[in-house]
Amino acid sequence: MRSYLAVVAAVSALVPAAAQAQAAADDRTAPPAAVSVSGAATVASDYRFRGVSQTDRNMAVQGGITIAHQSGVYVGTWASNLAGWGTFGGANMELDLIAGYKAKLSDTGTVDFGLTWYMYPGGAAKTDFAEPYVKLSGTTGPATLTAGAAYAPRQQAIGKWYATGADAAAATYTGPGAKDDNLYLWGDGAVAVAGTPVTAKAHVGHSWGQDGLGPNATAVAPTGAYWDWSLGADVTFDKLTLNVSYVDTDITRRASRYLQPSFSEGQDGSGSIAGGTVVASLTAAF
């Protein structure tokens, strides 16, 4: 009788363990969730948009969130504080609305296309603008390469309303109601350093747009056409990433002189907000 009871007790003890093991196996084989949510928050020493400071060479606090469906469709939003040139007549804030579709081309390649709507809450009329984009990415060994194009069709927000910075300072429109378009091509590279949390990164881009100032005395492509680039590295620990990069453009003070006083820190006409600088940022992903 005692041996029978011992067997029953042993079997009873094994049942919960077997159920837990089965539940763990089910979790491993369960299909991924149809919808995923991801986001990040960043503190940066400067907000450089295509090489040009949007925070008057001061600190930026930024954050974004993305909701993605397993089909490849995604929507998201991203925001940053602004200052000086970067406000586009807004309340010192940029708020981007993003929607797109990302699909696999192969085991190592993807295509991603969508639209970014740049908003400047509280800003003057004719401030916001839309910019469709497409990106191709691929990996080979420890390297990830990306090529992209963003084209903003003709819109008043990026039109040439002022021929010079002096016209803008005097509030004298030289082309009120003007519309312009903007094309930006870029390439990114990232290489993970084996055995370390370090990823080396490089970027180069080229802009074509209006060679003057828009209705809010700013421009997406100041000087009409220019190059921007950066070299740096990420150091990642769990969900925290520290980035340090050198960022620069080929916009010289002579080339941008006609944009002054807008195109300077403090908008006082001295210095440049497109000169080379080291930008550091700390990002927490969630």
Side-chain angles (χ1 to χ4, degrees):
M1 183 65 174
R2 282 196 299 267
S3 61
Y4 170 76
L5 292 176
V7 170
V8 170
V11 171
S12 298
L14 287 173
V15 168
Q20 291 175 3
Q22 183 61 47
D26 290 343
D27 288 341
R28 288 193 296 270
T29 59
V35 176
S36 61
V37 180
S38 61
T42 299
V43 177
S45 60
D46 193 359
Y47 169 25
R48 291 281 172 136
F49 178 73
R50 298 172 186 173
V52 178
S53 178
Q54 307 294 292
T55 49
D56 224 19
R57 302 187 74 134
N58 293 311
M59 288 186 64
V61 177
Q62 304 165 337
I65 188 167
T66 300
I67 302 172
H69 188 265
Q70 63 183 4
S71 65
V73 174
Y74 62 87
V75 294
T77 186
W78 183 89
S80 176
N81 65 290
L82 301 172
W85 165 281
T87 61
F88 270 79
N92 297 331
M93 178 183 178
E94 175 185 331
L95 176 63
D96 301 344
L97 303 180
I98 307 161
Y101 175 76
K102 187 174 183 178
K104 273 193 170 185
L105 296 177
S106 65
D107 290 340
T108 59
T110 61
V111 61
D112 181 351
F113 58 88
L115 182 142
T116 302
W117 183 263
Y118 295 91
M119 300 175 62
Y120 302 88
K126 308 175 186 67
T127 293
D128 306 346
F129 65 96
E131 185 180 67
Y133 60 84
V134 61
K135 296 185 287 186
L136 293 171
S137 298
T139 59
T140 174
T144 299
L145 303 176
T146 301
Y151 176 71
R154 289 172 58 83
Q155 298 162 78
Q156 288 189 350
I158 53 177
K160 183 178 177 179
W161 288 44
Y162 298 105
T164 68
D167 294 327
T172 303
Y173 287 136
T174 52
K179 296 181 179 181
D180 225 318
D181 60 355
N182 192 86
L183 175 63
Y184 184 64
L185 302 179
W186 78 92
D188 293 338
V191 179
V193 180
T196 75
V198 177
T199 300
K201 305 180 80 173
H203 161 85
V204 63
H206 194 274
S207 297
W208 292 268
Q210 86 265 36
D211 59 349
L213 301 174
N216 296 294
T218 54
V220 177
T223 70
Y226 75 100
W227 290 92
D228 72 275
W229 60 87
S230 66
L231 288 171
D234 284 348
V235 181
T236 301
F237 297 97
D238 195 16
K239 294 186 177 182
L240 284 178
T241 299
L242 172 67
N243 175 270
V244 179
S245 295
Y246 179 79
V247 183
D248 203 357
T249 74
D250 69 344
I251 300 175
T252 65
R253 293 192 180 187
R254 174 177 292 182
S256 61
R257 187 174 298 160
Y258 74 105
L259 300 173
Q260 301 294 5
S262 293
F263 201 67
S264 60
E265 184 177 357
Q267 297 186 304
D268 61 2
S270 63
S272 171
I273 52 173
T277 190
V278 174
V279 176
S281 66
L282 181 64
T283 299
F286 57 88

